[in-house]
Amino acid sequence: MSARALRLVPVLLLTACGGGDGGMAPPASAVSIERAYPSLTFTSPVFVTAIPGSNQLAVVEQDGVVRAFVDSDATTTSSVLLDIDTLVSSGGETGLLGFAFDPDYANNGFVYANYTAAGPLRTRISRFTVTAGVGDPNSEVLLLEFNQPFSNHNGGMLAFGQDGRLYVASGDGGSGDDPQDNGQNLGTVLGKILRLTTTPGAIVPIDNPFVATPGARGEVWAYGMRNPWRFGFDRLTGELWIGDVGQNAREEIDLGVAGANYGWRIYEGNRSNINPTNIPPSVFTAPVFEYDHSQGQSITGGYRYRGTAIPTLAGHYVYGDFVSGRIWALALNGNAAAGNALLGTLANPSSFGETASGELLIVSYGGTLHRIVP
């Protein structure tokens, strides 16, 4: 992955935290980040998630393989859940970037992938079928496909909301400063959060915010994004929390709102970026929180913590930065930032994930999984 945007390249302050439904977040001295599943290593992992209806987890490898293993530190082996490496164009910021299980996976065996393919470079959102724990790469059913003008800023996350719809993170198409102004163009799916049904040929929900807007793509749920590499649904409230990777100055955390415009490329966070007519920031939906590049240069969005192992983290938004390796807990008062605490560091945190019980896992792009413990 390139050093700009997602910046997946190997590299290796504590602020007062008040408010939020968990009170103050623990300082770094009160928690530690430890290796999980110490016998397992993975190749360029970019996501981890629980497998519904089982005691297993799935890890997504960028080259196109999804591996499954039992959720126990005693685990010594993993198995291949899905291998689509022959379909995937991988390298830099391309590859198998997102993966999700169907809400009715236990009955239908459906899984969904967000990956890049070559000739031309394009993003594909596809469904595959898993039978008896093994996915069939020949079972692909294409839901959505769109070309990528550059190799970077592909977004990649996809997940089901509590409404049963499939949400997809799409980057602005790449290069720098969004030269095609895709983020502000409702006529393209680039630079957006998309919301889809899973019915092939009829993927636009009738209640999406722009279905009646002339010239707009009906798949669009929110826009003005640069590279929303990772987002996460709050399993308690259903709210969508987005980490949008910045350009040269700011990294931002956004609360997902249907129809919202988050301002890119006119604004980078709360910073005016390319704004020749001086459009005021009030026109756009402001980030809940942002940080500058003295703290990190590529946000890895996470989740609001809803587990039970660390009560002082309850309700805090836990996230990280791929370049600096910092892992933070953002305290919230309602949905407003109330303070940010450093929890520790980890080399190249490429993603966060939740176990079936809501405990958080952190993926290190170097090949290992980690957890936050008291």
Side-chain angles (χ1 to χ4, degrees):
M1 295 287 185
S2 72
R4 183 55 61 192
L6 178 55
R7 304 182 184 88
L8 292 186
V9 290
V11 292
L12 215 229
L13 146 346
L14 181 61
T15 310
C17 266
D21 47 359
M24 292 188 64
S29 60
V31 299
S32 62
I33 298 172
E34 69 174 22
R35 175 83 179 268
Y37 320 108
S39 297
L40 300 180
T41 57
F42 304 92
T43 301
S44 302
V46 294
F47 189 54
V48 61
T49 188
I51 300 178
S54 76
N55 64 340
Q56 293 187 303
L57 297 169
V59 169
V60 178
E61 298 180 330
Q62 187 182 354
D63 63 2
V65 177
V66 181
R67 298 188 180 276
F69 63 93
V70 174
D71 182 7
S72 167
D73 275 351
T75 296
T76 59
T77 60
S78 65
S79 61
V80 174
L81 177 70
L82 179 67
D83 185 348
I84 57 170
D85 66 341
T86 59
L87 305 177
V88 173
S89 175
S90 180
E93 291 182 27
T94 64
L96 176 56
L97 305 178
F99 183 80
F101 292 93
D102 192 274
D104 196 29
Y105 172 76
N107 294 314
N108 60 29
F110 292 162
V111 297
Y112 300 83
N114 181 341
Y115 71 93
T116 53
L121 183 66
R122 62 203 189 276
T123 288
R124 292 171 68 90
I125 310 300
S126 292
R127 187 186 79 200
F128 296 87
T129 300
V130 175
T131 303
V134 179
D136 179 3
N138 297 315
S139 66
E140 181 175 21
V141 175
L142 181 66
L143 298 181
L144 178 66
E145 182 177 60
F146 49 94
N147 288 345
Q148 293 288 352
F150 302 94
S151 63
N152 57 341
H153 303 189
N154 298 309
M157 184 68 183
L158 76 169
F160 283 92
Q162 291 183 358
D163 57 3
R165 301 308 189 193
L166 182 63
Y167 290 72
V168 179
S170 172
D172 66 8
S175 189
D177 275 324
D178 192 6
Q180 299 179 348
D181 200 17
N182 290 318
Q184 293 299 310
N185 180 6
L186 286 172
T188 175
V189 295
L190 296 170
K192 312 295 191 295
I193 301 295
L194 311 177
R195 179 175 179 263
L196 313 176
T197 78
T198 55
T199 303
I203 62 171
V204 177
I206 61 173
D207 58 346
N208 268 8
F210 300 108
V211 290
T213 301
R217 290 289 296 259
E219 300 97 332
V220 175
W221 187 75
Y223 65 115
M225 311 299 299
R226 182 178 179 274
N227 192 26
W229 163 243
R230 286 291 172 256
F231 62 63
F233 284 100
D234 183 338
R235 60 170 51 204
L236 180 64
T237 68
E239 293 170 327
L240 180 63
W241 290 83
I242 307 162
D244 194 14
V245 179
Q247 178 76 35
N248 294 315
R250 305 287 174 83
E251 306 295 311
E252 68 182 87
I253 296 168
D254 298 306
L255 178 62
V257 177
N261 180 356
Y262 295 95
W264 176 253
R265 67 180 182 174
I266 300 169
Y267 279 83
E268 179 190 12
N270 287 312
R271 169 187 169 271
S272 185
N273 184 56
I274 298 178
N275 191 7
T277 59
N278 295 315
I279 299 173
S282 58
V283 171
F284 307 105
T285 299
V288 173
F289 186 75
E290 62 177 13
Y291 62 91
D292 65 31
H293 282 190
S294 68
Q295 296 295 303
Q297 299 177 41
S298 181
I299 189 170
T300 299
Y303 296 86
R304 292 193 75 170
Y305 179 70
R306 300 300 183 184
T308 59
I310 311 175
T312 53
L313 270 185
H316 291 74
Y317 180 74
V318 179
Y319 68 103
D321 187 276
F322 186 88
V323 173
S324 70
R326 291 182 168 102
I327 307 296
W328 292 283
L330 181 68
L332 296 162
N333 185 1
N335 286 327
N340 194 47
L342 179 69
L343 300 183
T345 59
L346 175 68
N348 306 120
S350 59
S351 189
F352 290 77
E354 292 181 303
T355 67
S357 61
E359 298 302 329
L360 290 183
L361 294 171
I362 313 172
V363 180
S364 171
Y365 189 65
T368 53
L369 301 180
H370 302 259
R371 61 170 67 92
I372 303 168
V373 297

